[in-house]
Each structure stands twice: as structure tokens, then as C-alpha cells.
Amino acid sequence: MVCLGNICRSPLADGLLAQKIRNENLNHNVDSAGTCDHHIGQSPDARMTKTAENFGLSLAHLRAREFTAADFDEFDRVYAMDKSNYQNIISISRNQSDINKIRMILDENHPNQDMEVPDPYYGGKEGFLNVYSMLDEATDCIMNELRIK
Ligand code: 4NP
């Protein structure tokens, strides 16, 4: 799960999918990263943490890190939150096999609509709630795919 800072959107996507995988006793490695280095080592944004907590999801164990080309070796899928993240990930990719792993996360629940998870960082509380509902739905769709595999 990849966003810009790895403190708002991608930690939530990471936490949601990891919790759903755990709940069903499946075995998949989930992680998140940012394409910028500004927040490396930081906990998720307090507003995102609070929103997740209101739904019973803890993000307390997560720390921001930067996405690197090695992530293409480690993971089968790389989910971008918005088009800018997508382009940043493309610029780090090394070959077609890397590129084939990249998805826009909202293509999961809204295929072919080019939808983005809006960056909630500079907005109000409602933005974080909106991000939660979008990513809760998208991770439900990812779970549907993982169950078939
Ligand atoms: P994220 O949100 O990409 O969802 O983690 C942001 C976090 C920090 C900044 C921008 C977006 N920032 O400009 O510092």
C-alpha cells in the first residue's frame, strides 16, 4: 500500500487489509510505504489513528518508510492511492514485471473509473472518515480476490 507520506492513507489500507487477512487466518504479507522521505520513522497521523480506533482498528505499530525498488521483489501487488503516487511508483520500477504489479487501489471497487483516494492531510476530520470508507470497501474487494486464490 503506497501513498505520499505513509502517514495517512497507506497505513490505514495496510491496517485494514492485514486485519481482514488475520481474521480469516489467511497468510499474506501486507506492508505500506510512502514515495517521499519526509515522514520516515513517524507513526501514522494522529487524525488517521483516531479514525481507525473509532472502528476498532489499531495503527499504533506502524512506522513510515520510503518505497524502494526492492518492494517489487518482496510483493506481488503494489497499490497506489492516487495518480501521483502511481506515477512515482512507475518511476521507481525497473522493468515490465514491476509495472505489472502496480494497481490503483480504487480500481478494486470502482474499475475503469480512474478514482483516487484523496489526500486528507490538509483537510478536516470528514476527509479521514471518507478515506476510511473508501479503503474499507477497496480492501473488502482485495479480500474477495485473495479468497479465490
Ligand atoms: P499520505 O498523506 O500521503 O496519505 O500519508 C500525506 C501526508 C503528509 C503530506 C502529504 C500527504 N505532507 O505533505 O507532509
Side-chain angles (χ1 to χ4, degrees):
M1 301 298 184
V2 182
C3 61
L4 176 62
N6 192 209
I7 55 169
C8 298
R9 293 164 291 177
S10 62
L12 180 70
D14 177 354
L16 280 167
L17 185 60
Q19 184 187 54
K20 290 172 189 187
I21 286 171
R22 259 194 321 274
N23 285 347
E24 298 196 20
N25 291 317
L26 296 174
N27 188 21
H28 298 283
N29 188 17
V30 183
D31 200 2
S32 61
T35 57
C36 81
D37 60 7
H38 291 34
H39 300 279
I40 291 174
Q42 292 180 14
S43 297
D45 186 284
R47 296 163 295 176
M48 193 80 264
T49 299
K50 182 77 192 147
T51 302
E53 264 172 17
N54 288 343
F55 289 94
L57 175 68
S58 173
L59 304 178
H61 57 293
L62 298 174
R63 296 292 178 273
R65 70 175 181 89
E66 194 173 6
F67 183 82
T68 71
D71 287 307
F72 288 113
D73 300 325
E74 181 77 20
F75 297 97
D76 301 322
R77 290 274 180 276
V78 177
Y79 291 102
M81 301 295 132
D82 66 28
K83 292 175 194 167
S84 159
N85 310 147
Y86 188 91
Q87 287 306 324
N88 288 335
I89 299 164
I90 293 274
S91 72
I92 296 166
S93 69
R94 303 156 299 184
N95 51 45
Q96 191 59 45
S97 157
D98 287 352
I99 292 171
N100 291 345
K101 295 184 172 186
I102 311 169
R103 305 274 186 279
M104 287 285 284
I105 193 165
L106 293 186
D107 278 0
E108 290 289 322
N109 40 338
H110 302 281
N112 306 315
Q113 290 180 48
D114 267 351
M115 281 181 64
E116 305 181 287
V117 183
D119 180 351
Y121 190 70
Y122 292 106
K125 206 164 66 185
E126 332 70 55
F128 287 85
L129 199 55
N130 183 39
V131 165
Y132 185 95
S133 84
M134 287 178 158
L135 291 177
D136 191 28
E137 262 189 42
T139 52
D140 278 345
C141 292
I142 296 172
M143 286 304 294
N144 286 337
E145 290 172 23
L146 292 178
R147 284 190 205 102
I148 307 166
K149 278 188 181 158

